[in-house]
Structures are given as C-alpha cells and as structure tokens.
Amino acid sequence: MSTAHEIAPRRAAGPPPTAPAWAADEPYAAALRAGRGPLFLRRTDGWLLPLEVERWCAEPDPVDLEVLDRCEGAVLDVGCGPGRLVAALAARGRPVLGIDVSEAAVGHTLRLGGPALRRSVFEPLPDEGRWDTALLMDGNVGIGGDPRALLRRLARLLRPGGLLIIETAPVDVDERVHVQVVHGAGGGAGSPFPWARVGTGALLRHAGRAGWRGAGQWSADGRCFVALRSRRTNTSAEPPKSTAVISSQRVRKPSAGSAVASR
C-alpha cells in the first residue's frame, strides 16, 4: 500500500495540467473562504458560466446523497473542492480521498474532517489501479480540457471493473475552451487555463472510445449524471487496503511546494 510520502516526483502522462492556474487562483480561493460567490468561468469570448460556490460549501444535498449512495468501496473524489462529499463519505466510515489543486479547497476539506491531497489527477496518486469508485462532480469532467485523456487517466486509477460517476452538463454540448475564474461579472480574474464542457451524449461517445462501458444515467433537480465501468484488465492489482489511505492522508497538510487536480 503506497502513501503520499512514497510517491516519486514524476508526472503521469496526460494533457498539460491545470494546476498552475488553479493553485494561484485568488478569486476562487477568496470565494471558498467566504463560502459564497458570485464566481464564474469566463470564456475568451466573454461568455460566463456561474459556479455554485454556495452549494459546494454547504452540506450535501439530496442529489449529492444519491450519488454517495451509489459509491462502492474506496472512493477517489477528483477535484473535491471544499470537500462536502469527501467529508460526508468519511463520516459514513467510507475509505475516501479528495484531490484538488487549490490549497484553499484542500484546507477546507481537511477542516471538515475529510482526507485530501493538493495534487493534480495527472500526477502520481496513492493506490493507482486499486480505487473502487471515482467521482467527477460539479463539472470536473472539464479538468485539463481533454475529456478523453481524463477518462483514460481515470481508467488507470480504478481497479478493473471500477465505477466512475460523472456529472455532465445539463445541455447538449461538447466544447474545449480556455477560461478564467472571475469574481462577479466584471471583477478580478485568475489566469487562463484549458477546460471542457461535456453533455451526456458527448460523454458517452468519449467514454466508448476511451474503453469504458455504460453503467447507467440519471438526472435530478436539473443535474445530470453518468455511471461508467472500467473495462481495463489488471491481474496484478491487489484489493485496495483503503484504511491505510485514510490514515496516511489525514495527517498530511498541504504545503506551498507540494504537487498540486482541480475544480
């Protein structure tokens, strides 16, 4: 069983990480500290996508709880944000780890009692190939701006047949863009970074090409979700010893120089 302290400082294959932009994003960090927006993703053409900071900083709502009820075994929350889902799973006694590039997000998660690492999904992570469930909630399928590369990476993190639950855009969209996090319609902005928006139909197409099989889809309260199963075979992977993951991560505090996944 690996721990965060045993990970070599190399980078896994994948698209350029969004870590530098998110890690230094003061509008996002300030919103998390305040627990409210207004906060947006702004495309280069000026179009704004509202970010639901208040919901992310609140207790899990009934839609979130339905997702948590579907989780299996040890859970990796990719782009955990302020940690509402990680903390809720930990409170249930579920082996869980949140990862996020934002120091403010990881700190918030730790204060809620959830284990978290400040790290990119494209960097080495504990127990690769052994996680039972991974979550991409709140639009995090956009991480890195390349959904297919992200899906391939997650297939390497999960055990064979592992479960991936993705929250998709509630509209028919499949776009790759550069965005900035901005406070208010005309407030301060962070650095640009690549992002993607993917609806359910597009996600299923990307998933099929990346070697996943569909395991269900549903919607609730205007939010849309897809469940996928990994087809990857890995005869060498051991069952996840997830209790050790929790104990090793709970004591680790993020540092300014630590490797940094994203919201």
Side-chain angles (χ1 to χ4, degrees):
M1 183 69 177
S2 62
T3 69
H5 304 289
E6 297 166 350
I7 296 173
R10 60 179 177 81
R11 188 174 300 284
T18 60
W22 279 105
D25 205 311
E26 180 55 29
Y28 179 61
L32 291 193
R33 287 193 294 267
R36 62 182 184 275
L39 200 68
F40 301 88
L41 287 183
R42 182 173 66 196
R43 287 191 317 213
T44 54
D45 64 2
W47 183 85
L48 296 172
L49 175 69
L51 299 179
E52 299 182 78
V53 178
E54 290 86 354
R55 181 170 64 80
W56 299 343
C57 291
E59 295 288 324
D61 62 23
V63 179
D64 294 329
L65 294 176
E66 181 180 355
V67 170
L68 300 188
D69 289 342
R70 293 172 183 257
C71 290
E72 302 170 355
V75 182
L76 180 67
D77 187 358
V78 178
C80 65
R84 74 189 190 282
L85 304 181
V86 176
L89 286 166
R92 294 182 179 193
R94 175 82 69 175
V96 60
L97 176 66
I99 59 172
D100 204 293
V101 297
S102 165
E103 183 175 2
V106 170
H108 197 286
T109 302
L110 292 170
R111 287 192 293 276
L112 289 180
L117 284 175
R118 188 180 177 199
R119 192 155 305 175
S120 167
V121 68
F122 294 109
E123 293 177 308
L125 293 171
D127 300 306
E128 296 200 9
R130 298 179 183 179
W131 294 96
D132 298 297
T133 302
L135 299 177
L136 281 175
M137 297 283 283
D138 305 323
N140 284 333
V141 69
I143 291 171
D146 187 341
R148 207 172 302 174
L150 180 58
L151 288 168
R152 288 194 294 265
R153 172 60 175 148
L154 286 164
R156 295 192 292 271
L157 294 174
L158 288 172
R159 64 169 175 80
L163 176 66
L164 173 60
I165 299 178
I166 301 174
E167 183 170 356
T168 59
V171 293
D172 185 13
V173 63
D174 187 8
E175 67 175 12
R176 253 71 74 215
V177 294
H178 276 76
V179 297
Q180 295 171 285
V181 177
V182 298
H183 181 268
S191 302
F193 57 91
W195 197 252
R197 293 181 65 234
V198 183
T200 295
L203 186 279
L204 291 172
R205 291 193 295 272
H206 290 304
R209 292 167 185 156
W212 295 83
R213 59 183 175 87
Q217 53 185 284
W218 69 98
S219 60
D221 197 24
R223 297 166 63 188
C224 300
F225 301 89
V226 171
L228 302 172
R229 291 280 180 188
S230 169
R231 288 176 173 164
R232 185 179 64 88
T233 59
N234 182 356
T235 56
S236 63
E238 300 176 6
K241 302 173 185 176
S242 306
T243 303
V245 173
I246 290 184
S247 62
S248 66
Q249 307 313 327
R250 193 177 294 279
V251 298
R252 185 183 187 275
K253 298 295 185 181
S255 63
S258 61
V260 293
S262 99
R263 169 163 299 287

